[in-house]
Amino acid sequence: MLSESGAPSFWAQDTKQGALRHFPVKYGSDQLWDLGTPTTVASSGWDARQRPRMAVVGDVNGDGSSDVVTSDRSGELWLHPAAADGTLGDPTSLSSSGWSGVAFF
C-alpha cells in the first residue's frame, strides 16, 4: 500500500484490541524498517473473529485514496473505503459469499 506521499506503508491488525493501524515507513534512516508513529484508522471491529483476512488493495472506489478489502469467516467480502480524515468509512459488502477459503497476499 502506498501512503499519501507515494511511499510504501505498513498496516497492522491488532487482534486483541480489535483495531487497525497504519504505520508510515520512514526512509533515510540507518534501519531497514523504520516505522513512523502509527495512526489508528479503525478503533474496533478488526479482531481475528470479525476480520480474519485482509488485503490492502489500493484505490478500489476511484476517489484517489487507498481502501481496504476484507473477508469474514462467513465468506462475505467487504470494501472499507478510506475516509477524508484518514480513518476507514463504513464497510460495503462486495459479495455475500464464496470468500471463506481465499487468502489475500
Side-chain angles (χ1 to χ4, degrees), residues 60-84:
V60 175
N61 61 7
D63 66 357
S65 297
S66 292
D67 307 305
V68 176
V69 173
T70 64
S71 66
D72 61 23
R73 289 190 187 266
S74 70
E76 191 161 359
L77 191 66
W78 295 92
L79 167 65
H80 303 266

Side-chain angles (χ1 to χ4, degrees), residues 30-79:
D30 295 334
Q31 298 181 29
L32 178 62
W33 276 92
D34 191 2
L35 299 177
T37 304
T39 302
T40 299
V41 296
S43 59
S44 64
W46 290 86
D47 62 33
R49 180 182 54 80
Q50 293 168 310
R51 301 276 182 251
R53 300 171 186 93
M54 74 174 201
V56 178
V57 296
D59 185 11
V60 175
N61 61 7
D63 66 357
S65 297
S66 292
D67 307 305
V68 176
V69 173
T70 64
S71 66
D72 61 23
R73 289 190 187 266
S74 70
E76 191 161 359
L77 191 66
W78 295 92
L79 167 65

